[in-house]
Amino acid sequence: MSGPGVRRTTWAALRARRRALGRLAGWSAVEALPALLGGMLVARAVDRGFLAGQFDTGLAWLGGLAAAVLVGAAATGQVYRSLGAVVEPFRDELAARVVHGALREATRAGGRADSAAVARLTYQVEVVRDTFGGLVLVVRGFLFTAGAALLGLFALAPPLAAAVAAPLVVGLAVFAASLPAMVAHQRAQVTAGERLGRSAASALAGHRDVVACGARERVVSDVGRRVTTQADAERTLARMAALRSLSLGVGGWLPVLVLLLAAPWLVRQGLSAGAVLGALVYVTTGLQPALHAVVQGIGGGGLRYAVTLGRILRTSPPPGPGDHSPPASPVAVAPADPPPAGTGVAPRAAAPVCGAGAWAVELRALSFRYGPHARPVLADLTLTVAAGEHLAVVGPSGAGKSTLAALVAGLVPPDSGSVHLAGVPVAGTPPDALARLRVLVPQEAYVRTGSLGDNLRYLCPDADDATVLAAAHALGAGALVTRLGGLDAELDPATLSAGERQLVAAVRAYLAPASLVILDEATCHLDPPLEATVEHAFARRGGTLVVIAHRISSAARARRVLVFDGDRPLAGTHDDLLARSSTYRELVGHWEDVTPPTRVPLGRA
């Protein structure tokens, strides 16, 4: 194995399934019957049957061998069933570990979503599963098959057993001595492949910027070096196969040569021709295939197992003492645990909610880009959103509006600069503390299976029915609650429309303890009147509201608007930006009704 972590994890997986391993060992012993009896039955068939002129007797002994083969074949099916009971639970444990590690990294303060976790889950975990099963299979096969062959050989002719065992041990020793180098080269090959993948992915993701900056030759050269490094690692790994061939030659073929050269002398010493033939059967049908399987299995799949499992263990650490809280919802970034009762619970307009306090947003020299060579999405942006303010963010598609929302919510860290919520720096703040400051509702609303009430209370579990129903009516979702059958109705998310899911997510955020609400195109599937109802409700709710707007009417309802106008976003009122920003005028021009609706003062009924 490549390290103590791999060995410890492997042994722990085996110890946890001792009963399944016991069944596997039992069926393996039955499967090894042909290896145990094959040479002896062949010797009896030759000496007591064919050479003695008793043809029927010889066939009877061979018939016994055929029966042993049939019994062994039947046991082979049970071996694979028992193997599944060992391997599949281990695969499930690794998959859970990878998912937990990816979620923990993505939701921690300053963490990033790790796209490599998908490769670990869909590829590396399956590699470990397959190679772990292969290792268990070939190792137990070698132990039982080679052990049975040596035992049978010892019963047939003890001196031959010693002569055959010596080169077998030498071949295994040569193979064991070469394993560390094989593991190192296998690890280098895997690492080179991952680096090539990252380099190629970065080049593809930023290809437009590469072309625009005239950096094609540099990028091609960098990817080319990664390709060369991986090719060198592959060739080195292929050369290591020579050591496996040496092990097989010494341990598998040298005993055959010893038997053939010593056969005349053995016969002169009184060993029967049948015994010599039986010994050859033990070596060629028992020892040699078992050695070949274990050397090829460990030298191939075993190395992939050690290296791949090692990478999973390093990149997906086990859950720690503080990692038992449920993950945040994909819809609203906040934990399931509410603040203690009586701490800041205050009514807001028609519906009381679990939280109080109005928080400002401060962006200080904020910069962000996707990849080191991509153009900046945000460059040195400084912006303050006052406590209680209603800000709308507009701009062309792909301008960076949702990226800004993710940065404010702390889902992604900036390349430079800082984000402060109510004076608290987002970087380094634990997720549960951030959840008390802000709630983000994305465009794709998440609704889970369960009751409607559980979905609406997800971020405020202590809210009573009256509070939840008041919130639903405030946001125009009362008719939806009635149609679905009330708060106790069981939901099938697949039966809800995109707009209905957005209403559920909006009510959930309305009840959340956070004072800052970020609506990232969270009402795009609602009709304009219902969208206006939702935004008015959040405006009356109190606190700070940031709306990533897809309709210009949302901007007209806000006290202040941030428009992504070229490289430098501009902030101002609706009327102010009509005069100052050509981008904003162009956006407004796509809408027939741009008359600013009546603005609702925040924090008032």
Side-chain angles (χ1 to χ4, degrees), residues 504-517:
V504 171
V507 176
R508 180 190 297 152
Y510 187 89
L511 290 167
S515 292
L516 168 63
V517 176

Side-chain angles (χ1 to χ4, degrees), residues 102-170:
L103 289 175
R104 182 171 61 181
E105 171 63 21
T107 56
R108 70 175 177 85
R112 285 181 180 267
D114 183 9
S115 60
V118 177
R120 286 195 294 274
L121 186 62
T122 60
Y123 175 69
Q124 293 183 2
V125 169
E126 289 304 312
V127 167
V128 171
R129 168 191 176 272
D130 294 342
T131 53
F132 178 64
L135 282 174
V136 172
L137 202 62
V138 299
V139 170
R140 67 90 225 175
F142 176 78
L143 293 176
F144 283 91
T145 303
L150 286 174
L151 185 61
L153 188 57
F154 182 81
L156 184 65
L160 283 180
V164 167
L168 177 66
V169 171
V170 172

Side-chain angles (χ1 to χ4, degrees), residues 513-571:
S515 292
L516 168 63
V517 176
I518 306 169
L519 302 180
D520 184 7
E521 300 196 15
T523 57
C524 63
H525 296 299
L526 305 180
D527 57 45
L530 188 52
E531 178 184 59
T533 299
V534 170
E535 291 185 10
H536 282 315
F538 275 105
R540 292 188 178 97
R541 173 182 181 270
T544 306
L545 178 63
V546 176
V547 179
I548 308 299
H550 67 287
R551 295 186 179 115
I552 210 67
S553 55
S554 295
R557 279 189 288 269
R559 290 183 181 178
R560 193 159 60 120
V561 180
L562 178 70
V563 58
F564 279 74
D565 189 355
D567 296 332
R568 185 67 60 177
L570 295 176

Side-chain angles (χ1 to χ4, degrees), residues 466-530:
T467 299
V468 175
L469 289 173
H473 285 291
L475 275 78
L480 175 63
V481 174
T482 302
R483 184 183 71 77
L484 294 176
L487 298 180
D488 294 329
E490 290 295 315
L491 288 188
D492 179 3
T495 64
L496 298 180
S497 68
E500 290 170 337
R501 288 195 295 271
Q502 286 189 331
L503 272 180
V504 171
V507 176
R508 180 190 297 152
Y510 187 89
L511 290 167
S515 292
L516 168 63
V517 176
I518 306 169
L519 302 180
D520 184 7
E521 300 196 15
T523 57
C524 63
H525 296 299
L526 305 180
D527 57 45
L530 188 52

